[in-house]
Amino acid sequence: MKKILIIIALTVSLLSLNAVFDDYGASARARGMGGAFYSVADDATAVFYNPAGLVYADNAAIISYTDLWNTGYNTLINGAVSYNFGKAGAIGLGVQSFSVDFEDETLMSEQTMGLFHGFTLMKDIHTEFTLGYGVNLYNLEFADSDDTQMAFGVNMGALATIRQRTKLAFSVTNINNPKIGKDNESDLPQVFAVGLSHSPYEKVTTSVELKQEFGEETQIMGGLEISPHEVLTLRGGVHNKPNVISFGAGINMYNILVDYAYNSHATLDGTHHFSVGYKF
C-alpha cells in the first residue's frame, strides 16, 4: 500500500510540474560549459542544441549517462551520431531517454528520436553561414496508463562564422508548437536560444548565450573551453535561473572521446554527467 501511495504521489507531482520533455542538458561537454553550447555545437550532440553545427562535426557516435541531481531515480541517457557527406552537408541522429523509477517501477518514461540535416548556405574566405533543421518524435508513457502518447516537433538553427574565430548562433526548438496528451494536452517546451562564441587564441573558446523557454524567464549562460594539451580539454561555465556553476574535462585520444561534467544546484544535489564516444 505504501508503495502504491508513493507512486501516485510522484506521478501527480510530475504531472503538476508540467515539465515533460524539459531541457535536461543532453551533452556532458555542453553541461561542463554551463549549457552555453548553441554557438559552439561542433560535434554529434549538435542534434540536441543547434543542428547547423553538424557541418563542423566529425563522423562520430557519442553516448552519455547521468542521474539528474543525484536523486537515484531520474535517469537520462543520450545517444548521437553524425556523418558528413561533404557538399551535401551532414546528418545527425539523436536519441534521448528520460525515466523516473521507484523500486523497479518506471513511473514515467520519455523517449525522443530525432533526424537532422545541416548544410553550408554560403562560404567565402572570411565568412561561413550554415543552416540546420530536423524533426523530433516524442513518446511519453506513464505507469498507470497503457496508452502511448506521441508528438512531432520541428527544430531549426543557424550559425554564422566570422573570420574563423567568432560564431553567432540562433536556434529554435519545437517551432511548430506541438502538444502531447489525450485527456489533458500539454504544450511541449519551445526553446529559443541566441549566442556568441569566440576563440581569442587557438584551442581556447568562450561563449555567452541567452536561452528562453517561451513563457518562462530568460537564462543567461557563459562557458569556457581550454585545451592545454592535444588530448586534454578543460571546461567551466555558469548560468542563472537556477544559479548553476559547472566544470568538466574531456579526453580525446586514439579517436576515443571521454567527457565528464559536474553541475552544482542552488537547492538540489549536484549532477555528474558522463559520456563516451568514438570518431570513425
Side-chain angles (χ1 to χ4, degrees):
M1 182 64 179
K2 180 181 178 182
K3 179 179 178 179
I4 294 175
L5 291 175
I6 292 175
I7 290 174
I8 293 173
L10 287 174
T11 303
V12 170
S13 297
L14 289 166
L15 289 170
S16 63
L17 287 173
N18 194 29
V20 292
F21 298 101
D22 203 356
D23 184 4
Y24 303 114
S27 164
R29 180 185 172 197
R31 188 181 287 273
M33 298 180 68
F37 195 67
Y38 292 86
S39 59
V40 178
D42 58 1
D43 62 23
T45 64
V47 296
F48 301 115
Y49 295 88
N50 188 347
L54 288 169
V55 173
Y56 305 106
D58 292 314
N59 298 338
I62 300 173
I63 59 173
S64 69
Y65 169 86
T66 182
D67 174 16
L68 293 173
W69 314 295
N70 198 30
T71 59
Y73 55 80
N74 286 309
T75 303
L76 179 67
I77 301 173
N78 298 292
V81 178
S82 59
Y83 190 85
N84 199 307
F85 289 94
K87 291 183 179 180
I91 62 169
L93 301 173
V95 178
Q96 179 170 276
S97 175
F98 171 71
S99 63
V100 179
D101 305 297
F102 178 76
E103 294 187 356
D104 299 324
E105 179 83 27
T106 299
L107 306 183
M108 181 191 75
S109 64
E110 302 173 0
Q111 294 87 37
T112 305
M113 295 174 286
L115 174 63
F116 297 89
H117 176 231
F119 63 97
T120 299
L121 183 66
M122 184 273 291
K123 183 177 182 179
D124 59 29
I125 191 171
H126 296 303
T127 307
E128 184 173 8
F129 188 71
T130 64
L131 294 176
Y133 62 94
V135 177
N136 276 325
L137 170 64
Y138 299 99
N139 181 78
L140 176 65
E141 297 179 5
F142 287 97
D144 59 348
S145 174
D146 294 329
D147 292 333
T148 298
Q149 304 174 26
M150 301 179 68
F152 289 92
V154 178
N155 299 357
M156 297 184 65
L159 273 174
T161 304
I162 304 170
R163 295 187 178 274
Q164 300 180 345
R165 289 183 177 270
T166 302
K167 290 183 179 180
L168 303 174
F170 168 86
S171 177
V172 180
T173 302
N174 292 327
I175 194 171
N176 60 320
N177 190 25
K179 303 179 186 296
I180 197 165
K182 295 181 179 179
D183 297 329
N184 297 300
E185 281 193 339
S186 298
D187 291 328
L188 293 182
Q190 289 184 282
V191 179
F192 169 77
V194 294
L196 168 69
S197 65
H198 180 65
S199 297
Y201 307 102
E202 186 178 4
K203 297 183 179 181
V204 176
T205 301
T206 61
S207 57
V208 178
E209 300 181 347
L210 301 177
K211 181 177 73 174
Q212 183 182 44
E213 180 180 333
F214 290 176
E216 303 293 334
E217 294 185 280
T218 301
Q219 290 183 328
I220 303 173
M221 307 173 292
L224 173 66
E225 185 174 65
I226 302 174
S227 297
H229 190 273
E230 61 181 4
V231 302
L232 176 65
T233 302
L234 303 176
R235 306 180 182 103
V238 295
H239 78 68
N240 68 342
K241 303 183 189 304
N243 297 330
V244 170
I245 297 176
S246 307
F247 62 83
I251 296 175
N252 181 354
M253 186 167 54
Y254 303 118
N255 290 333
I256 297 174
L257 310 170
V258 179
D259 288 291
Y260 165 78
Y262 175 82
N263 282 170
S264 68
H265 196 281
T267 55
L268 302 174
D269 288 342
T271 295
H272 300 274
H273 198 140
F274 305 89
S275 76
V276 61
Y278 182 75
K279 295 190 291 185
F280 53 84

